[in-house]
Amino acid sequence: MTGKNRFEEDFPLIESFLEERAFLKAKEELSSMEPADIAEGLEDLSPARMVFYFRLLSKDLAIEVFELMESDEQQRLIEHVTDKEVAEIIEEMSDDDRTELLDELPAKTVKKLLLQLSPEERKLANKLLNYPDCSAGRIMTPEFIDLKGNMTAEEAVTRIRSIARKKETIYTCFVIDEARHLQGVVELEDLIMAESHTKVEAIMDDDPVFTLTTSDQEEVARIMSRYDLHTIPVTDKEDRLVGIVTFDDVLDILEEEATEDFERMAGIQPVEDSYLDVNLFTMARKRFFWLVVCILTEALTSTVLKHYSPTIQSVVALTYFIPLLIGTGGNAGTQASTLMIRGMTVGDIEWKDIGRILVRETLSGLLLGGALAVLGFARAYMLGTGLGVGLTLTFAIVAVVLMGNLAGTILPLIARALKLDPAIMSGPFITTVVDVFGLIVYFEIARAVLKT
């Protein structure tokens, strides 16, 4: 496997088969490809052509390809195939992928699709849709292997073999009692390696890591990352096992959350679709809000400059270093906030660590500010601005870098305390805050040093 998309590479060959009406050859060529390659390749086709190719796939392959397609492409395909084909697809989809699809569709379409499910699957779909958004219950699948503690290893393996094809994973099995309370977890490897007569309860982990249906999906991802789990059981308030979350679901969550954080750190409201699929006006609207906030707060900069205009008029050389100061302070703040936000996201930083963090960032700000101040003083000397301006710039750089560090540390913590996403306190917002206060500090130092 080269890592290249085989669908794109072999597309001319498949098209030639179709022109010759050699449909069996085209079908065989498609069946030899990875589902992910087919899903990506179908997105570039017209609706009619996408449906034609989709109908060439075997049922199992078609379902797997459909699960891997982007939500907007799934909707596009659903709109152009028959109701019977749609029913077959969503009936056989894994429960967590089906819930994700139904989440993205308009309410009218969801109602129509649910009516096409079998009564059992419809009941299950409605149950998953009733859990809170972004909760473990919303992303879990009830397709897991359950065992009883009094089973022997041989009986457990026989049960796994009989139901494995319908389950999400077979590598981790879950031990429950008659009331479906979670008793423990046992790995398939341990069952295979154990003596055939060994009881499951003797080899299971009777203190497993688990989560609740109401837990936030980000918290679930952190737990699985911390304990290096590829599957985590999900229980209700009565400790009854109702589903599992697998590592592939967590990867999707982490990618989604990381994308949202990056967008918020850049001052953009989260965009759900891919860049090229987003309407131009929608993209502009998503970016407009924070640009307005920034321009309104940056207007304070002009107020500061006007206030200190007598100082500027008496020592014009002070204006030479305004871009240097605000750029340095803003960058220091962005660096500090990025480290803080990452630390909070992965669980490295907790409230009890605030004191240590503030001390570290203060020392870091003084160290970085001192080193940068030497460069600033050298630049002032090269421009021949005089000792007074050079000293003013030196002290101001240390103060602004320290201010940027502390702002980048404290503002994300304030956001978390207010139940907001800490990522919004990064990028443009911190830069703007440090710009305004950095200029005030700069000119106050200038007044004190230059006696203006």
Side-chain angles (χ1 to χ4, degrees), residues 7 21 23 43 60 69 79 101 108 114 124 133 177 185 220 223 235 237 255 266 284 292 330 366 378 383:
F7 185 91
R21 304 187 68 78
F23 299 121
E43 294 175 0
D60 291 342
M69 294 172 70
E79 291 170 358
L101 168 65
K108 186 177 180 181
L114 287 175
L124 180 57
D133 287 339
D177 62 16
V185 170
V220 175
I223 293 173
T235 66
K237 293 179 181 179
E255 180 182 356
V292 171
L366 293 173
L383 292 176

Side-chain angles (χ1 to χ4, degrees), residues 56-71:
L56 289 174
L57 305 176
S58 65
K59 182 178 178 181
D60 291 342
L61 180 57
I63 292 167
E64 195 169 353
V65 167
F66 187 80
E67 290 179 343
L68 292 170
M69 294 172 70
E70 296 291 335
S71 60

Side-chain angles (χ1 to χ4, degrees), residues 278-285:
V278 178
N279 178 278
L280 178 62
F281 292 102
T282 301
M283 179 65 77
R285 178 173 55 81

